[in-house]
Amino acid sequence: MNQYNIVLIIFFIILFSLCPLEIDGHVNNNIDIKKVLQNTPKSSYENAITTIVTKAEQIKKQKCKRQQELTLLKREQELRKKQVRLEKQRKHSGIEENKANIEWLTFHATYYGKDCSGCSGITATGINVHETIYFKGFRIVAVDPTIIPLGTIVEIKTPNERFNAIAADKGGAIKGYRLDILVESESISAQYGRHDVQLRIIK
């Protein structure tokens, strides 16, 4: 028998000697044995343990619930990222597919320099070509606006090169499926001659 049990027995002996039991189950002086037992150190310890265990279970449940919420949120974020990637891939694939399906057209091409007879060095769309044959990285070509609207970006394949160009000029002799490609000078244009090229509209 440990020391705690001995103290507890002595406590009950003193309690019962001072407060004899009655037949109805109550003690004298209105002392309730159950209440006294609840106030003993052991009862307080057990109550504290019960409270701690209950609180720990509540914290554990809250932690598990929070963990489940975080896991669900992470899955939703990953799903959204995956959907965004798939949408980008779909759009990119669509662009590439549309680009691949654009029809190539045959044009008869000639060349002209900025110093050609009757040329002002300014294109029909207002681009100054005195110092360059490019506009924002694009070559410049003259077209028939009824076939290719001015401002259209096109891709051109010639027997010698392949490049993107902007339809930024027009000319009296450029009718139908004709194309005039700007080069540095008239002397250079003579070296290219004339030939058929392949053209497709980019945008």
Side-chain angles (χ1 to χ4, degrees), residues 118-172:
C119 292
S120 64
I122 306 295
T123 70
T125 55
I127 299 173
N128 188 334
V129 294
H130 283 99
E131 303 298 332
T132 181
I133 61 172
Y134 293 91
F135 176 72
K136 295 183 178 180
F138 296 107
R139 293 284 297 273
I140 295 172
V141 294
V143 297
D144 181 347
T146 64
I147 303 298
I148 299 179
L150 293 177
T152 301
I153 304 299
V154 297
E155 183 178 4
I156 298 173
K157 291 191 296 184
T158 78
N160 304 308
E161 57 185 337
R162 181 171 181 166
F163 55 85
N164 291 340
I166 180 170
D169 209 354
K170 60 182 181 178

Side-chain angles (χ1 to χ4, degrees), residues 14-22 24-33 35-36:
I14 295 172
L15 177 63
F16 293 150
S17 65
L18 293 176
C19 308
L21 289 172
E22 291 184 351
D24 60 2
H26 291 82
V27 296
N28 289 334
N29 300 325
N30 296 323
I31 297 176
D32 191 325
I33 294 177
K35 290 182 179 179
V36 172

Side-chain angles (χ1 to χ4, degrees), residues 6-201:
I6 294 173
V7 172
L8 189 58
I9 291 172
I10 295 172
F11 174 80
F12 281 123
I13 292 172
I14 295 172
L15 177 63
F16 293 150
S17 65
L18 293 176
C19 308
L21 289 172
E22 291 184 351
I23 296 174
D24 60 2
H26 291 82
V27 296
N28 289 334
N29 300 325
N30 296 323
I31 297 176
D32 191 325
I33 294 177
K34 185 176 182 180
K35 290 182 179 179
V36 172
L37 291 175
Q38 289 176 343
N39 292 326
T40 62
K42 183 177 181 181
S43 178
S44 300
Y45 171 79
E46 291 175 348
N47 289 338
I49 292 297
T50 301
T51 301
I52 292 171
V53 171
T54 302
K55 188 64 176 178
E57 290 177 349
Q58 292 176 349
I59 293 174
K60 182 179 179 180
K61 289 180 180 179
Q62 292 174 354
K63 184 177 180 180
C64 290
K65 183 179 179 181
R66 180 57 179 166
Q67 186 64 39
Q68 290 174 350
E69 292 174 349
L70 291 174
T71 300
L72 181 60
L73 179 61
K74 184 177 180 180
R75 289 178 180 175
E76 291 176 349
Q77 290 174 342
E78 290 176 350
L79 180 60
R80 283 196 294 269
K81 289 180 180 179
K82 184 176 181 180
Q83 289 174 338
V84 170
R85 287 197 301 269
L86 290 175
E87 182 64 18
K88 287 182 178 180
Q89 290 175 359
R90 186 189 66 79
K91 289 183 177 179
H92 181 72
S93 297
I95 291 172
E96 292 299 323
E97 181 179 355
N98 290 336
K99 185 176 179 181
N101 290 335
I102 294 175
E103 182 182 1
W104 286 94
L105 303 173
T106 300
F107 279 70
H108 187 69
T110 54
Y111 295 80
Y112 73 108
K114 56 182 178 287
D115 57 342
C116 68
S117 177
C119 292
S120 64
I122 306 295
T123 70
T125 55
I127 299 173
N128 188 334
V129 294
H130 283 99
E131 303 298 332
T132 181
I133 61 172
Y134 293 91
F135 176 72
K136 295 183 178 180
F138 296 107
R139 293 284 297 273
I140 295 172
V141 294
V143 297
D144 181 347
T146 64
I147 303 298
I148 299 179
L150 293 177
T152 301
I153 304 299
V154 297
E155 183 178 4
I156 298 173
K157 291 191 296 184
T158 78
N160 304 308
E161 57 185 337
R162 181 171 181 166
F163 55 85
N164 291 340
I166 180 170
D169 209 354
K170 60 182 181 178
I174 309 302
K175 300 296 182 183
Y177 288 83
R178 289 280 309 277
L179 191 70
D180 217 4
I181 301 173
L182 179 66
V183 292
E184 290 80 357
S185 65
E186 278 293 280
S187 60
I188 293 177
S189 70
Q191 299 175 15
Y192 284 99
R194 55 178 65 222
H195 45 245
D196 288 342
V197 300
Q198 297 297 305
L199 177 149
R200 66 177 178 180
I201 295 174

